[in-house]
Amino acid sequence: MVIDLAALFSSQPLLLFFAVLACGYALSKLSLWHFHLSAPVGVMVAGMLFGHFGFQAPPMIQEIGFTLFIYSIGLTAGPRFFNILLADGSRYLALTLAVGLLAAATALVMGRWLGFPASTAAGLMAGTLTSSPTLVAAQEALRQANPDAAPALVQMGSAYAVSYIVGLFSILALIRFAPVLLRVNLAAEAQALSKEHRYRDESVDHHEPMGPPPQLRAFVVQSPEIIGKSFDRTDLCLGGNCVIQAVKREGSVFQPEPGTPLAEGDVVSVTVPVDRVPLVAERVGREVIDLDLLSDSIDTVDIIVASQDAAGRPLGEMTVLARQGCTAVRLVRSHIPIAPRPEIILEKGDVLTVAGLKHRLEAVVKALGYVERAIIETDLIVFVTGIMLGLALGALKFKVGDLTVGLGQAGGLLVAGLVLGFSRSVSPTFGRVPPAARWILSELGLLFFMACVGLKAGEGVLAALVGMGPQLVLCGFTISAVSLFGGLAFGRIVLRMNPALLFGAMTGAMTSTPGLKVVTLAARSSLPALGYAGTYAFANVLLALLGALLVRF
């Protein structure tokens, strides 16, 4: 029996579509000189291979993917977008806007110089900045402006595919050598920033995994350094997040209040990281097994910061942690782990991992926000209603003289997602969408869209490489260089940002997470991740809007 795969794929478009997804994911797992394609790019490349042989995507799949992806981007960015905008967002917003405008202007000028249409220029900008939202919004804007824009969509997809690889490597190379060219010592600047804001000196890679969780251990108070001192004035393990939970004195167990002195012979239960146990034993006294003190257990929860009282305040001012004997062990902002230093200002949408006794964590969760993982059901009514309102908002148009303006579908969906995401940070029970649900909706939406882009671009990608390959490479490198050095000049001269934060913010404004890795290694510090987190939320929104505007020139 012989199976004609070409005939099978032609007669079964859905089978073809999921074959593209499977092949794309397989491509993304391959390693070439330690380089991996991302899943969306792998799917797009697989789509181009199938598209080159004339296969096409099923109808409506691209529109469904576009809708889910853009709306999910707004939903994810919502909690932090407005919070940053109202707090310290002016600088990050201005930097992101400057980088986006420089990239758009350079793409447009280079395109006009080389005779490329605006659609190709939009693809160049989206690919060079490795920004999938920009491509999604630009293609939808072009489709709405011109229903017969199929050839232009193919050109845009081909330009994106080629310039993506160019942009990825050129940004990494430029961000690596920019400090040398500009004579900036990122390590010294990060150290100066640490001293200025009284941050602890640290050289932690922002991808370093979280340390071992605390354990509950019991010790007999024997050290003269501890006897007579109150527990809240004693650093048991030299900054290692060790907290006394209970004291047993003459057979009675009680929870110490601030100012309560420790007496010789007291037995104390302490939450302590396992690697700090010998140090605590040395500073307090010998370790013992006491079932009265060790009957409870330590748990950890991931708390989504949503409280108005917590957002905008330093972590060190969260007295509820000390009162409940709990410890902050990890902080994640915009998917970037940050050392949970006392000076770090909490923001809505931060994920704070807290360790402590189970019965005490409830008070901490109530004071800071809510436990996202406890919510497993998605409020689909609010979710689909938000999409409906976003599409309706995008369809509205206003006439100003002879000019007709509107947000378009991308803008409407982004605004609806942002508002709903922000509303959830204020009222966590409203419109529940757990992180796993947001991820799968966003990922599937993007992959659906990229598979369709690849299938359409496959018709002309070889012609683009043969006919415009050198020009596309030149454009990609030029857009990267102008955006990076122009943004650095704007951030340093106009905004007067610390170079360590500025370089991190530039990688966020250019949506380059691999670039952040290069910057943190050069700075020998995770502080640049704070800058990345500040601009990344804006970049996903602003670059998408700029991509939609660029195709209209």
Side-chain angles (χ1 to χ4, degrees):
M1 179 180 179
V2 178
I3 298 177
D4 188 343
L5 287 178
L8 181 62
F9 285 148
S10 297
S11 62
Q12 299 290 332
L14 280 178
L15 176 61
L16 162 72
F17 181 74
F18 283 96
V20 170
L21 294 182
C23 293
Y25 254 107
L27 280 176
S28 69
K29 300 300 181 183
L30 298 178
S31 176
L32 182 63
W33 298 302
H34 304 289
F35 170 73
H36 292 267
L37 291 175
S38 65
V41 176
V43 168
M44 184 180 67
V45 171
M48 288 190 296
L49 292 174
F50 279 87
H52 177 68
F53 293 101
F55 295 109
Q56 293 299 317
M60 289 298 294
I61 291 288
Q62 183 166 337
E63 287 75 11
I64 293 172
F66 155 79
T67 301
L68 289 176
F69 176 64
I70 288 291
Y71 182 68
S72 297
I73 286 290
L75 200 66
T76 302
R80 296 196 62 248
F81 186 85
F82 293 106
N83 190 59
I84 295 176
L85 190 62
L86 296 174
D88 191 30
S90 57
R91 291 194 303 172
Y92 291 128
L93 176 61
L95 181 64
T96 306
L97 188 58
V99 171
L101 289 174
L102 283 170
T106 306
L108 191 60
V109 170
M110 292 291 292
R112 293 281 174 84
W113 177 52
L114 295 171
F116 296 158
S119 58
T120 301
L124 282 169
M125 184 184 82
T128 302
L129 297 184
T130 64
S131 174
S132 299
T134 304
L135 176 67
V136 174
Q139 289 217 333
E140 183 59 29
L142 181 61
R143 191 180 295 108
Q144 287 191 339
N146 181 10
D148 299 323
L153 290 172
V154 171
Q155 291 176 348
M156 185 188 296
S158 300
Y160 175 86
V162 176
S163 59
Y164 186 99
I165 304 298
V166 176
L168 179 64
F169 285 104
S170 60
I171 289 174
L172 289 177
L174 290 170
I175 206 76
R176 170 67 181 85
F177 293 106
V180 178
L181 296 174
L182 300 176
R183 298 181 180 180
V184 173
N185 187 329
L186 285 181
E189 295 291 350
Q191 188 176 15
L193 184 65
S194 295
K195 292 180 180 179
E196 179 184 350
H197 293 277
R198 294 180 298 171
Y199 293 156
R200 292 199 304 269
D201 290 336
E202 44 92 17
S203 57
V204 180
D205 178 4
H206 73 280
H207 285 294
E208 183 178 349
M210 183 174 60
Q215 296 182 351
L216 190 65
R217 311 291 277 263
F219 303 87
V220 179
V221 176
Q222 296 172 316
S223 171
E225 296 181 9
I226 303 297
I227 296 173
K229 292 184 179 180
S230 61
F231 80 99
D232 55 314
R233 295 182 177 274
T234 304
D235 188 354
L236 296 181
C237 57
L238 303 178
N241 291 328
C242 301
V243 181
I244 291 181
Q245 300 291 337
V247 177
K248 185 176 183 180
R249 181 176 295 169
E250 297 178 354
S252 298
V253 177
F254 64 93
Q255 296 178 1
E257 297 291 335
T260 302
L262 297 174
E264 185 176 5
D266 285 349
V267 183
V268 295
S269 60
V270 182
T271 53
V272 52
V274 65
D275 58 338
R276 298 276 180 148
V277 171
L279 178 60
V280 175
E282 180 182 338
R283 292 176 58 80
V284 178
R286 61 186 175 88
E287 184 179 4
V288 296
I289 303 295
D290 192 307
L291 298 182
D292 293 334
L293 293 175
L294 301 179
S295 58
D296 213 333
S297 61
I298 297 294
D299 195 11
T300 58
V301 293
D302 296 329
I303 302 175
I304 310 298
V305 176
S307 169
Q308 298 284 2
D309 295 331
R313 293 177 58 190
L315 178 60
E317 291 185 8
M318 297 294 101
T319 55
V320 66
L321 292 172
R323 288 199 311 270
Q324 299 299 327
C326 297
T327 304
V329 295
R330 195 186 193 203
L331 177 66
V332 177
R333 179 174 297 166
S334 292
H335 308 291
I336 298 298
I338 301 171
R341 296 179 292 266
E343 300 86 357
I344 291 293
I345 305 296
L346 294 177
E347 296 179 2
K348 282 188 176 180
D350 287 351
V351 181
L352 184 67
T353 303
V354 177
L357 299 180
K358 289 184 178 180
H359 65 276
R360 295 190 183 182
L361 286 171
E362 294 181 6
V364 178
V365 172
K366 185 177 180 180
L368 298 182
Y370 61 98
V371 182
E372 181 85 17
R373 72 183 183 191
I375 303 172
I376 61 174
E377 183 179 342
T378 298
D379 191 338
L380 287 175
I381 293 179
V382 175
F383 185 84
V384 298
T385 302
I387 291 178
M388 180 187 70
L389 293 176
L391 292 172
L393 184 61
L396 294 178
K397 290 184 171 45
F398 303 92
K399 196 150 189 163
V400 182
D402 294 331
L403 181 66
T404 302
V405 295
L407 288 174
Q409 283 192 4
L413 288 166
L414 272 175
V415 170
L418 287 169
V419 172
L420 180 59
F422 179 75
S423 300
R424 290 188 61 253
S425 70
V426 176
S427 178
T429 58
F430 171 75
R432 300 181 302 272
V433 186
R438 284 201 307 272
W439 183 87
I440 192 66
L441 289 168
S442 175
E443 185 78 356
L444 276 180
L446 177 58
L447 294 182
F448 281 16
F449 182 86
M450 297 299 280
C452 295
V453 169
L455 285 166
K456 290 181 180 179
E459 301 173 13
V461 69
L462 286 180
L465 283 173
V466 173
M468 302 185 299
Q471 295 97 317
L472 293 177
V473 172
L474 174 63
C475 287
F477 184 81
T478 303
I479 294 170
S480 298
V482 171
S483 303
L484 177 62
F485 288 104
L488 288 173
F490 180 77
R492 193 68 181 133
I493 298 172
V494 178
L495 302 179
R496 300 194 177 279
M497 295 177 66
N498 175 279
L501 280 181
L502 176 58
F503 271 81
M506 284 299 303
T507 61
M510 302 177 81
T511 66
S512 176
T513 303
L516 177 62
K517 173 74 172 179
V518 174
V519 172
T520 53
L521 288 176
R524 297 198 292 273
S525 169
S526 65
L527 288 179
L530 296 175
Y532 176 94
T535 54
Y536 186 76
F538 289 130
N540 277 319
V541 177
L542 292 177
L543 291 179
L545 296 177
L546 285 173
L549 289 173
L550 187 58
V551 297
R552 301 181 186 274
F553 283 91

